[in-house]
Structures are given as C-alpha cells and as structure tokens.
Amino acid sequence: MNDTSLAVTASARVRQLIDLTRALTRRLSDELAAFEAQRPQDVAAGLAQTQDLANRYRRESAQLKADPSGLAHAPVADRTALIKATEAFEAILNRHARAVEAARIISEGLVRTLAAEIRSQSGVPNAYGATGQATPTDGSAVAFSRSA
C-alpha cells in the first residue's frame, strides 16, 4: 500500500470515529437534558440506541488502543477533529454520569422511605406466640437491593 492510499484509509477511519463519537455525544446530551428536565422516563425510549452506540464506541476505542498506528497516516486536521470530538464526549459523559448517579440515589431513597413506612404500619412481625401458633401478618413485603 502506498502512502496516499494509507492516508486515504486513515482519514476515512478517523472520520468514521469522529461521526461515531459525535453521535454518541448527541445521544448522551439529549439524555442529560431529559434528566435535567426531571423527565428520566424520556430516556427509556432511546436506551437501546444509546447502548448500541456505546458498544460500537467501546469496540472502536479498543481497536484504536490496540493498534494506534492505523491513524498515524491521517491528516493532522482529522486527528485534531477527533481529539476535539473526544474531549466534548468526555465532558458530556462526566455530566451524564453525575445525573444518572443522582437519579439512582433519589430512587434508592424513595424505596427506603416506602419500605420504612410499610414496616412502621405493618405492626408485629411474623413470630410465634405463647401457644406456639404463628401470629398473623398482612403478607406484604418490600425488598431493597443495593446492587440493582
């Protein structure tokens, strides 16, 4: 392969990475706007698309990390554009991660509060009485998992 064809191939590869990075940045930006507008339910509709873009980005990044020499022949302007697109992606990714973490904390707090309220109203827990018979309960249960 001559230098010209290497440069063309590398340039096309860099533009492909730029397009993917910008598409994922737009998706995360839209999701962040939904979180900031207190409408996390709006994120669910595009979750599959976001996951697909994120998986593609992860694969492409791993390939680039494994063999960065493929981009060495790309024009400086293309490589600079990729760096800028990546910086914008990382900035929105950090903001997105904070919003998701805040939503998780709020959700867990709501579950804990509801569980505590139900526990306080349920009365005596299921136990054996003096006659050896189990005391009746309302049969409701709430589970909380930190790993969910």
Side-chain angles (χ1 to χ4, degrees), residues 50-140:
T50 303
Q51 287 174 337
D52 179 56
L53 285 170
N55 285 333
R56 285 178 39 210
Y57 183 83
R58 181 189 49 78
R59 281 192 307 270
E60 296 293 333
S61 295
Q63 288 174 359
L64 179 60
K65 194 174 203 177
D67 184 19
S69 65
L71 299 182
H73 297 287
V76 173
D78 287 346
R79 289 188 308 219
T80 301
L82 178 59
I83 290 169
K84 287 182 180 182
T86 303
E87 288 170 347
F89 167 71
E90 288 174 352
I92 201 73
L93 182 62
N94 288 331
R95 289 182 56 209
H96 187 273
R98 285 192 305 271
V100 168
E101 178 66 10
R104 183 192 64 79
I105 290 169
I106 290 167
S107 295
E108 285 183 4
L110 289 172
V111 170
R112 281 192 199 107
T113 301
L114 290 171
E117 181 65 23
I118 291 170
R119 248 191 333 270
S120 72
Q121 293 179 4
S122 67
V124 180
N126 193 8
Y128 291 98
T131 63
Q133 299 293 320
T135 57
T137 62
D138 66 351
S140 65

